Amino acid sequence: MRKPSISLLSQAFFIPLLWSASATAIFWSEPGLSAPVAAAAKPYSPAVRKGNTVYVAGQTPNDQKTGEIVGVTIEEQTKQVIQNIEAILTKEGMTLSNVVSTTVYLSDLNNLKRMNRVYAIAFGLSPVPPARTAIQISRLPGDALIEITVIAVD
């Protein structure tokens, strides 16, 4: 097997650095809002702003003060995930109506109908609800039932 040259390796690592240099990471910095993601020093940002677009990383139903999973039902966990997303968007001067796309990860696709009832209350009131993909995944962090990523545009 041929080893890649150093110049190829440099290019592979350089391209993401160029992109991230013009983006702004959004962290939980207010007192009392200590995101488990930031506290655990994970190698990613809870959200990143690039121009007028905010990319929100997958949000699980964690209480932002304690880091604990909130709720045991899909409805309770979906509500918490949406609250976490709203907190990030609010920090950027946006609301759920700015969301243009979501990806919903469910630990059990049989929960889709029940999740959708809560989701519809939050996103269904927009003049144009966001595009959505919903998929089943074998396991989520903290054994959560749901995780949602969003893309929002000013």
Side-chain angles (χ1 to χ4, degrees):
M1 174 185 239
R2 193 177 132 203
K3 292 183 180 179
S5 70
I6 291 180
S7 63
L8 286 177
L9 286 174
S10 299
Q11 290 174 354
F13 289 106
F14 187 64
I15 292 170
L17 291 175
L18 279 177
W19 183 86
S20 64
S22 62
T24 304
I26 302 162
F27 294 101
W28 295 94
S29 57
E30 291 94 25
L33 283 180
S34 175
V37 173
K42 305 275 181 169
Y44 60 89
S45 301
V48 174
R49 178 182 274 277
K50 176 82 170 158
N52 66 340
T53 305
V54 173
Y55 301 87
V56 180
Q59 295 298 301
T60 52
N62 295 85
D63 178 283
Q64 295 302 312
K65 293 179 184 174
T66 67
E68 299 295 318
I69 296 280
V70 173
V72 294
T73 68
I74 190 64
E75 293 89 351
E76 293 167 329
Q77 289 195 14
T78 302
K79 184 178 177 184
Q80 182 64 42
V81 168
I82 292 169
Q83 288 174 353
N84 293 349
I85 292 167
E86 284 181 303
I88 292 170
L89 294 175
T90 297
K91 184 173 178 134
E92 286 302 301
M94 294 185 181
T95 67
L96 292 177
S97 65
N98 292 101
V99 175
V100 295
S101 179
T102 68
T103 303
V104 178
Y105 302 93
L106 296 164
S107 63
D108 183 350
L109 209 48
N110 290 319
N111 286 331
L112 181 62
K113 190 181 258 184
R114 291 174 34 224
M115 180 282 301
N116 206 43
R117 288 185 197 121
V118 178
Y119 181 97
I121 292 168
F123 292 104
L125 299 177
S126 296
V128 180
R132 182 181 83 188
T133 301
I135 57 176
Q136 180 172 314
I137 190 161
S138 63
R139 190 170 182 199
L140 291 165
D143 291 320
L145 302 176
I146 186 168
E147 180 174 329
I148 300 177
T149 64
V150 304
I151 299 171
V153 180
D154 267 340

